[in-house]
Amino acid sequence: MKIGNREFDDFEGIYLMGILNVTPDSFSDGGKYATAEEAVDSAMSMLADGADIIDVGGESTRPGAVPITAEEEMGRVLPVIRLLRSRTDAPISVDTYHPETAEAVLNEGADMINDIWGLRYDKRMAGIIAKAKAGVCIGHNQKDITLVEDVGSVAKDLFYSCMLAHNAGIEDERIMVDPGIGFGKTQEINYGIIKNLGLITELGYPVMVGASRKSMIEYVLHLPKEERLEATLALHVMAALNGATFLRVHDVREHARALAMIKAVQAAKEE
């Protein structure tokens, strides 16, 4: 996987994508930053803590969130992208399904588009990403949870989106897929994705999993979002062991420590 100037080892590595929401209403950290400078300072802290990619989001995609225009989204993310790009050469991803936003942020130095609608929301998106030779995270989403029967159907939908990317000219080495935990799925499917992640890795692309603080934790433990760290770590460790290459997280430092222990065990000699 190549994102910006960095190459990622799809087979051996496990990498962290730090979440930087510059929104007033995201489910976990909406309204956290008053200025672009505060947001970028947080991003730099995540990089220091072990983040490999920063994923900037300007629109909340939580269930029930009110959609915003591309213009409003660009107003939120562009100042952050410009300042962040001036301070680091680390890969920058932008969480958007608006092609206008994608084109603008790629022109300002972003390296990847994280599209939760898997290039299906607007047919222009794939071409914009291909033209910029940018990376893409192809997410899975559905408006109606009854359309997702099992993890196999998620894999089939992702395969179709990957073909859209391929046909638009996006190189395979610039594609990762995200099964979209929490997006248009029952909780049973959410758990099944992590348990049966092999069905997603069989597509042949690096897989990103993002379960950080999500409602699948509340479903079992009945905990508020600020008390879901341990459960998030458990889900992400299981995802990593089942083949995930990238983890999209809020708590970078804690995840970096957990991954360091996984790697230490994996590196131990067999008796």
Side-chain angles (χ1 to χ4, degrees):
M1 180 78 194
K2 186 174 183 179
I3 307 172
N5 295 321
R6 181 169 176 185
E7 292 187 359
F8 295 86
D9 187 334
D10 306 354
F11 299 101
E12 298 294 334
I14 307 171
Y15 305 98
L16 296 177
M17 176 183 283
I19 299 169
L20 185 71
N21 285 323
V22 289
T23 59
D25 58 344
S26 288
F27 85 96
S28 180
D29 53 359
K32 186 175 180 179
Y33 310 112
T35 65
E37 288 77 10
E38 288 182 6
V40 171
D41 285 344
S42 179
M44 297 304 294
S45 293
M46 285 192 282
L47 291 170
D49 286 340
D52 300 285
I53 309 167
I54 299 297
D55 189 45
V56 182
E59 176 179 355
S60 175
T61 52
R62 62 178 173 80
V66 177
I68 64 172
T69 64
E71 289 73 20
E72 187 173 358
E73 184 180 44
M74 285 187 279
R76 295 174 181 177
V77 301
L78 283 174
V80 174
I81 299 300
R82 293 183 185 119
L83 183 56
L84 183 57
R85 184 78 294 161
S86 73
R87 293 182 61 182
T88 180
D89 61 358
I92 300 173
S93 169
V94 176
D95 184 355
T96 184
Y97 55 87
H98 294 292
E100 299 90 348
T101 301
E103 186 170 36
V105 299
L106 292 173
N107 287 337
E108 292 292 343
D111 303 296
M112 184 171 82
I113 299 300
N114 179 11
D115 184 352
I116 65 168
W117 286 103
L119 306 176
R120 300 190 194 194
Y121 183 85
D122 191 307
K123 62 182 180 182
R124 296 174 293 169
M125 180 66 91
I128 288 170
I129 296 170
K131 182 179 179 180
K133 297 187 181 301
V136 63
C137 180
I138 294 176
H140 183 275
N141 200 355
Q142 294 283 354
K143 292 183 179 180
D144 185 346
I145 64 173
T146 64
L147 296 175
V148 181
E149 298 177 353
D150 52 29
V151 180
S153 68
V154 174
K156 290 177 183 177
D157 286 345
L158 284 171
F159 176 78
Y160 175 79
S161 289
C162 289
M163 290 303 97
L164 293 178
H166 180 76
N167 292 337
I170 300 175
E171 298 171 328
D172 281 346
E173 66 178 9
R174 298 186 186 275
I175 297 172
M176 70 171 74
V177 296
D178 176 1
I181 288 175
F183 290 99
K185 298 172 183 68
T186 64
Q187 297 297 1
E188 289 77 12
I189 296 293
N190 289 328
Y191 294 117
I193 286 171
I194 293 177
K195 182 176 182 179
N196 302 289
L197 202 62
L199 294 174
I200 309 298
T201 61
E202 284 178 359
L203 292 171
Y205 297 97
V207 175
M208 184 182 76
V209 169
S212 188
R213 304 180 186 175
K214 287 188 175 180
S215 62
M216 65 185 297
I217 297 170
E218 181 185 21
Y219 183 73
V220 172
L221 299 179
H222 312 293
L223 293 172
K225 58 183 180 293
E226 60 271 14
E227 294 183 25
R228 299 177 189 172
L229 173 60
E230 300 93 340
T232 295
L233 287 168
L235 291 171
H236 281 161
V237 165
M238 291 189 71
L241 294 176
N242 286 342
T245 300
F246 296 90
L247 302 173
R248 185 175 182 271
V249 307
H250 294 92
D251 305 287
V252 173
R253 181 182 301 175
E254 293 84 351
H255 278 83
R257 291 172 176 172
L259 292 185
M261 297 313 300
I262 291 176
K263 293 173 182 177
V265 172
Q266 290 176 332
K269 294 181 179 180
E270 295 185 7
E271 294 296 333

